[in-house]
Structure formats: C-alpha cells, structure tokens
Amino acid sequence: MISVIVVFIIFAVIILYNINRMTNILCIQKEIPEEKHPKIFRTINIYITILLVSSYVEILFT
C-alpha cells in the first residue's frame, strides 16, 4: 500500500512538472500577457490535481 502511494506521488510530480512546462511554452508561443500567466497556471494546476486525486481514488478502491 505504501509503495503504491510513493510511486503515485512520484508520477504525479512528474506529470505536474511536464504540464507546467508545456503551459509555459504555450504562453510564450501564443504571446499571452504576463499578467494572465498566474491565472492560467493556477487553473491548469487545479484541474490536473483534481484529475490526479480522482485517479488515485479509483486505483485505491479498485
């Protein structure tokens, strides 16, 4: 059980890092103003965190 939690946390961190990196590239490529960057990152991070938590709950109860 503990190993599943550790592996899932490691993958979650990797996924969040890659999503943030891709979001940064998108913001630069589309020339989105700097003032909007925090809102975009916050929104995407919240959505990805919700997806990660729901997938962890699904794994936990399957």
Side-chain angles (χ1 to χ4, degrees):
M1 181 69 173
I2 299 294
S3 62
V4 172
I5 294 171
V6 171
V7 169
F8 195 84
I9 289 173
I10 290 170
F11 282 128
V13 168
I14 291 169
I15 289 169
L16 278 170
Y17 171 76
N18 283 325
I19 294 294
N20 281 327
R21 188 174 55 83
M22 290 188 293
T23 303
N24 188 38
I25 292 169
L26 175 74
C27 287
I28 291 170
Q29 192 175 46
K30 296 295 181 182
E31 298 177 358
I32 297 173
E34 286 286 328
E35 305 86 43
K36 293 187 178 184
H37 285 201
K39 184 177 180 184
I40 293 170
F41 277 95
R42 187 179 319 112
T43 304
I44 290 175
N45 283 334
I46 289 170
Y47 289 154
I48 295 299
T49 304
I50 290 170
L51 285 171
L52 288 169
V53 168
S54 65
S55 64
Y56 176 72
V57 169
E58 183 179 346
I59 290 171
L60 189 65
F61 292 115
T62 302

